[in-house]
Amino acid sequence: MRKVCVIGAASTKYGRFDLTARELLSDACSAALKDSRVDPKRIDGNFIGNAFSIAEKQGHLGPLVMTTLGIPEAPAYTIETACASGGSAFREAYVNIAGGFADVMLASGVERVSQLDTITATSYFAYGSDYTYEGGNGCSFPGLYAAMARTYFQKFGATEEDLAAIAVKNHENGALNPKAHIQKRITVEDVMKSMMVASPLKLYDACPFSDGAAAVVLATEEVAKQLGVEPVYVMGSARAGSIAALHERADMASIPSTTIAGEKAMKQAKVTPKDVNLLEVHDCFTIAEAMALEDLGFLKRGEGAKAAAQGITRRDGRIPTNASGGLKAKGHPVGATGIGQIVELREQLLGKAGARQVKNARVALAHNVGATGGSCAVHVLGV
Ligand SMILES: CC(C)(COP(=O)(O)OP(=O)(O)OC[C@H]1O[C@@H](n2cnc3c(N)ncnc32)[C@H](O)[C@@H]1OP(=O)(O)O)[C@@H](O)C(=O)NCCC(=O)NCCS
């Protein structure tokens, strides 16, 4: 396998916009190409994470974006693995270059859902569950993650205040991120008093519905050297799945695909959790961050929920987690989320993350989950 590196990256701000998915994605791809200094004519293709463009009455985003970029001949592919679409798109671009089928690829992602009201957006998102048993019976994603939180509470004695501390930390980080959807500090009290969404999860335990796009350029080490850009290496890359329906799993307080993809990616990268300096994990709800830290092997079972309150996962803690603000505060434009994590980690590894810079960042891990874990992508990056 060939060595693969990220040579350019960009993201739009996350939030609510009047721009279409096509426009947001074109902006991000164009900025990533500029950042990489590569001639767009050298792009061998674009894997695009996207789940809901059909809600804008526009499928098949690829050729539209490639046309805007001036390279309509280059093939583009929409990748849909629910909320893991971005991480999966990155994986496919990586595999193509590592396997010798391409030298320079775009991996990108986009979502625009702010034109939908909350109930419609919630319904669209629920199509990513096992709709026959879950979404179709009223169990939307807040409900499913609430069931996971209740199971976790029962097993480990964690509390709503423990989860609130995760939200407080991620909002604190998001307040330092000019690209974040929600740039507002909050307190544990704010979380506890906020609107109940699906008990025990409240407004501030949930990620918002966000619009946004992100893109990265991947290339061989040789191309990076030719261009004279500082490479960030993809040290490990893995995808895994879990049983789709939550009620069919043996344990609702963990996500098997996270463990499998995490072990594979770290094995390929020849690292253990002790070697990883920072993580971006899929905190679509606060409970998801707690589970991810355990499933990835960074903390023991039952320790994840308390880690934020104990300072372990703060930017200056032992396991800096979601320095970007995470899905919770940076936002969750579904198809873009996994690519946005790579954009953040590249900035961190190159020491360009400004006020939210994590010190001594040399090895970083990105964890992107689809639905309740039916899909998962984990990547290890390093300089
Ligand atoms: C939590 C949720 C129900 C709130 O939706 P809502 O009630 O329609 O909220 P609104 O869009 O009306 O926003 C009301 C206010 O709360 C803020 N807000 C909305 N969602 C927020 C969130 N998750 N966290 C913090 N603030 C949020 C808005 O910015 C707005 O603030 P403002 O009044 O100062 O402008 C919705 O964000 C949600 O369902 N999130 C989860 C999405 C999801 O399931 N993703 C998939 C994960 S697998």
Side-chain angles (χ1 to χ4, degrees), residues 118 125 141-142 145 182 195 197 203-204 206-209 284-285 328:
T118 304
F125 278 45
F141 279 109
Y145 275 89
I182 302 172
M195 168 183 79
V197 175
L203 175 73
Y204 285 120
C207 63
F209 289 115
C284 51
F285 298 92
K328 173 72 271 283

Side-chain angles (χ1 to χ4, degrees), residues 301-358:
R301 293 280 167 214
E303 290 180 352
K306 298 197 187 299
Q310 292 168 341
I312 294 170
T313 48
R314 290 174 57 87
R315 287 193 316 285
D316 57 358
R318 182 164 59 83
I319 311 168
T321 305
N322 287 329
S324 69
L327 283 63
K328 173 72 271 283
K330 183 187 177 194
H332 183 26
V334 174
T337 293
I339 301 288
Q341 291 178 328
I342 304 286
V343 176
E344 168 71 14
L345 293 180
R346 176 169 176 269
E347 277 179 28
Q348 290 280 357
L349 291 168
L350 295 179
K352 295 177 178 171
R356 59 185 197 289
Q357 180 67 47
V358 171

Side-chain angles (χ1 to χ4, degrees), residues 176-264:
L176 300 173
N177 186 349
K179 296 266 170 83
H181 183 163
I182 302 172
Q183 297 172 34
K184 182 173 114 176
R185 286 170 195 270
I186 54 169
T187 63
V188 167
E189 201 184 3
D190 292 331
V191 184
M192 296 303 290
K193 280 187 181 162
S194 66
M195 168 183 79
M196 188 60 78
V197 175
S199 176
L201 303 176
K202 297 170 276 300
L203 175 73
Y204 285 120
D205 286 296
C207 63
F209 289 115
S210 312
D211 303 336
V216 296
V217 181
L218 295 99
T220 59
E221 198 179 23
E222 288 68 33
V223 172
K225 279 184 187 153
Q226 275 167 21
L227 295 168
V229 292
E230 213 175 339
V232 166
Y233 288 91
V234 184
M235 299 167 67
S237 166
R239 280 265 289 114
S242 312
I243 293 172
L246 203 50
H247 64 270
E248 287 181 19
R249 295 198 202 143
D251 179 13
M252 298 211 304
S254 70
I255 293 183
S257 56
T258 295
T259 303
I260 300 165
E263 279 175 1
K264 280 187 178 174

Side-chain angles (χ1 to χ4, degrees), residues 145-165:
Y145 275 89
M148 294 168 111
R150 283 271 167 233
T151 309
Y152 187 100
F153 284 8
Q154 253 174 6
K155 279 183 90 159
F156 303 118
T159 64
E160 292 181 36
E161 284 83 354
D162 292 335
L163 296 188

